[in-house]
Amino acid sequence: MELPTPQDLRERRNTLGLTQSALADAAGVSQPLIARIEGGDVDPRLSTLRRIVEALDEAEGDVLRAGDIMNETVIHVEPDSSVREAVEAMEDEAYSQLPVLQSGIPVGSISQSDVIHGGDNVGDKPVSELMSESFPTVARDATVDEVRNLLDHYKAVMVTEGGETIGIITEADVAAQLS
């Protein structure tokens, strides 16, 4: 990732017709800080620079959010569902894993690998006995970059609002949106 120079930030802000105050408000920083960064008087922390760049991206309309790419239909099982039901749901949907939700709240996940490693005759056992940790959760307004970072380590990301699941995102969803 190439970091923008103070000149790059100033030119981009001016091209978008933003004042330093407007950019500061959008990025959640002070106007004097924007002026000092653009003047080259101060080197911002990476987290501050990221907020400024995200505010500029947002002003350009370039920021894709989790809510823009999530699947609102979340195929899932519950902890007390049988492993057989989970396997049937995975086969019906051609998925290799499913989230486990209890009253809409993510509590775990179950995958074909969990079933394979569960031993013999696991079909009648409850999913809760074989499930793995839950997929990570993000808010609807999380950026696609944040989602992508999570997908480097997890098979899916749950989108939640007020603790309840409102969507799910997989690598296939991100790839489809970006292509």
Side-chain angles (χ1 to χ4, degrees):
M1 166 176 138
E2 190 173 317
L3 297 176
T5 66
Q7 179 67 25
D8 294 337
L9 293 173
R10 181 175 37 259
E11 287 175 7
R12 190 165 174 208
R13 178 182 58 76
N14 287 330
T15 299
L16 292 169
L18 293 174
T19 64
Q20 288 180 344
S21 293
L23 177 57
D25 287 344
V29 298
S30 69
Q31 180 275 326
L33 179 60
I34 297 290
R36 292 182 66 201
I37 292 169
E38 287 184 355
D41 298 336
V42 70
D43 285 330
R45 292 166 54 184
L46 185 57
S47 60
T48 302
L49 184 59
R50 177 176 290 142
R51 290 198 329 252
I52 293 168
V53 169
E54 285 178 358
L56 290 167
D57 288 346
E58 184 98 25
E60 283 182 333
D62 286 350
V63 176
L64 213 51
R65 303 280 179 188
D68 299 328
I69 64 169
M70 71 180 183
N71 286 305
E72 292 181 15
T73 302
V74 181
I75 308 300
H76 67 281
V77 291
E78 300 205 2
D80 58 351
S81 300
S82 72
V83 171
R84 181 175 292 104
E85 290 174 281
V87 169
E88 287 171 1
M90 284 188 266
E91 288 174 354
D92 289 347
E93 299 296 331
Y95 293 159
S96 60
Q97 71 276 331
L98 292 174
V100 180
L101 306 181
Q102 186 166 23
S103 302
I105 299 170
V107 295
S109 65
I110 187 158
S111 68
Q112 292 172 341
S113 178
D114 293 327
V115 175
I116 291 168
H117 292 98
D120 295 331
N121 302 318
V122 295
D124 291 326
K125 288 185 177 180
V127 165
S128 60
E129 288 187 24
L130 297 181
M131 70 183 188
S132 298
E133 69 178 327
S134 181
F135 300 127
T137 63
V138 297
R140 176 190 299 271
D141 65 348
T143 65
V144 170
D145 284 342
E146 293 169 325
V147 171
R148 233 187 321 214
N149 287 338
L150 289 169
L151 288 172
D152 285 343
H153 306 286
Y154 299 93
K155 296 176 182 179
V157 174
M158 306 301 296
V159 183
T160 59
E161 194 167 76
E164 283 202 38
T165 300
I166 60 169
I168 187 169
I169 302 171
T170 64
E171 284 182 333
D173 300 317
V174 174
Q177 187 67 37
L178 298 177
S179 63

